[in-house]
Amino acid sequence: GLMFPPVDPRDVGYAAAAIANECVFGGADHHGKCYEISGPEMLSVADMARIFAQALDRPVTHTPVSVDEYTATLPPALAQLIHFMHDAGESAIPFSPHGVGDLTGVEAMRLEDWVREHKGRFKREG
């Protein structure tokens, strides 16, 4: 199945701040450059469900659906993007496991660590 490199939004911000800081106060030349910012690991949706289940100590399951079933109710442009990503596989998703670390000096947060940090936000209702 399709793999994703989930990234903590804070890591995106840290990378952007590092670039902006160097642009203002000197350092590396970032003009015209494009950076691939991603999480440190490629994960399937099933991997993500397993990570959430382990971190939250409760069942979290993933039910696979076909690409056609998933895109049936999406706007055409989004459906086209999902089909492209499915057909292209991992090459459709930018993956730079050390991109955040190269820019900030601190490696990007793994999904497992992010879920553990935010465990309280996933409390069951009732």
Side-chain angles (χ1 to χ4, degrees):
L2 193 57
M3 307 279 279
F4 300 92
V7 62
D8 184 335
R10 293 173 297 187
D11 288 331
V12 176
Y14 297 149
I19 292 167
N21 187 52
E22 288 182 353
C23 289
V24 171
F25 298 107
D29 179 17
H30 299 285
H31 182 76
K33 293 185 179 177
C34 179
Y35 296 96
E36 292 183 354
I37 303 298
S38 73
E41 54 197 348
M42 292 293 278
L43 300 170
S44 68
V45 177
D47 292 333
M48 292 181 217
R50 178 187 45 77
I51 288 168
F52 271 82
Q54 289 174 345
L56 301 175
D57 195 29
R58 69 173 194 239
V60 176
T61 58
H62 161 63
T63 304
V65 296
S66 73
V67 173
D68 290 333
E69 184 179 357
Y70 181 75
T71 58
T73 61
L74 296 177
L78 185 54
Q80 184 179 4
L81 174 63
I82 299 296
H83 278 280
F84 164 77
M85 291 170 59
H86 178 265
D87 294 343
E90 287 186 31
S91 66
I93 308 290
F95 179 51
S96 180
H98 303 290
V100 170
D102 291 346
L103 289 166
T104 67
V106 178
E107 290 300 319
M109 182 176 279
R110 296 176 321 127
L111 179 62
E112 179 180 356
D113 297 326
W114 184 91
V115 174
R116 289 187 195 289
E117 180 181 321
H118 294 87
K119 189 174 183 174
R121 296 184 177 264
F122 296 99
K123 290 182 181 176
R124 290 184 179 202
E125 296 292 323

